[in-house]
Structures are given as C-alpha cells and as structure tokens.
C-alpha cells in the first residue's frame, strides 16, 4: 500500500488539508496526517511532527502550508525518504523548490488530489 504524509492536515472538512486526507484514503493510500495541534483528522491519529511519522521511506508528502513554513521543514521531509514532494497551490515558492532540489527531493508543483484522478469538489465540506 502506498504511503502519503499530509503536511498541514486539518480536521476542518472545508480545508484542502482535509480533502487531501480523504482523497488519498479513497485512492488506497496509507495516510499519515501531520499538524502541529495533533488533532485527529478523519479518525486517523495525527502526528505533531514529521519525525513522529512511523514509516520510512514514504511515497509522497503533500504540503498544505505557507512556503516559508514548508521551507523550514525540508530537512525533516528529506529525512522521511520522501519519493515525491507535492507542493500544492499556495505552498510553493522558488526558494522552497531550490532548497528542495538541493536536498535531493523531487518537488512537484501541482495539486496532489488532481494527480489521484480526483477533484477537491468530490469531497464535501460537511
């Protein structure tokens, strides 16, 4: 089963960090939500830090954070053995991409939900 870390996962079903959790589950991924609050997301245990994620390597990390925050977390993302780094719309910056490449990561600037063959609108806010 492929693995996905959703960085910036949210318990709020209207947020893309939640829709991504649901989309990856629907696509057959083992999902590891990460958010600083540690609030459960879609009945899954949520990890407060990337270093708490119990699986290495991971197939993909899908980022729903501001670029400056994502940039600070790049070394931890690299430590996961991340095969694909998805920088969803609003999570990307030239600086973040350059630093990701320097760390040997494979940044993809696109919506990870759409890559699954799904649309965010398929996951209602309620």
């Amino acid at each position: 089963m492929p693995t996905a870390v959703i960085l910036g996962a949210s318990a709020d079903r209207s947020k893309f960090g939640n829709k991504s959790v649901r989309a990856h589950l629907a696509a057959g991924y083992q999902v590891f939500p990460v958010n600083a609050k540690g609030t459960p997301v879609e009945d899954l245990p949520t990890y407060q830090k990337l270093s708490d994620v119990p699986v290495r390597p991971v197939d993909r990390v899908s980022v729903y954070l501001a670029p400056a925050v994502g940039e600070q977390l790049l070394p931890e993302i690299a430590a996961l053995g991340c095969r694909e780094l998805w920088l969803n719309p609003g999570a990307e910056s030239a600086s973040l991409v350059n630093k990701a490449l320097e760390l040997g990561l494979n940044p993809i600037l696109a919506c990870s939900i759409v890559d699954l063959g799904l649309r965010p609108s398929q996951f209602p806010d309620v």
Side-chain angles (χ1 to χ4, degrees):
M1 177 181 296
T3 53
V5 170
I6 310 302
L7 187 51
S10 175
D12 181 342
R13 295 188 110 214
S14 69
K15 299 207 178 244
F16 284 95
N18 179 284
K19 292 175 186 285
S20 185
V21 169
R22 290 186 279 155
H24 282 86
L25 287 170
Y29 279 76
Q30 181 179 9
V31 177
F32 300 93
V34 176
N35 81 29
K37 295 177 187 173
T39 308
V41 176
E42 298 301 313
D43 295 325
L44 295 173
T46 301
Y47 302 91
Q48 290 184 286
K49 300 180 296 192
L50 283 163
S51 60
D52 294 337
V53 174
V55 174
R56 308 272 186 295
V58 297
D59 293 302
R60 65 170 46 185
V61 173
S62 187
V63 181
Y64 293 91
L65 298 171
V69 176
E71 197 170 316
Q72 292 175 346
L73 295 173
L74 284 174
E76 293 177 58
I77 293 169
L80 287 174
C82 170
R83 293 185 179 113
E84 297 176 348
L85 174 60
W86 287 84
L87 302 174
N88 293 280
E92 78 281 5
S93 73
S95 176
L96 190 155
V97 169
N98 288 335
K99 289 184 179 179
L101 290 169
E102 288 171 10
L103 289 170
L105 293 166
N106 176 28
I108 301 162
L109 282 67
C111 177
S112 64
I113 297 171
V114 172
D115 178 67
L116 299 172
L118 302 168
R119 294 182 321 279
S121 62
Q122 289 177 257
F123 301 92
D125 295 353
V126 292

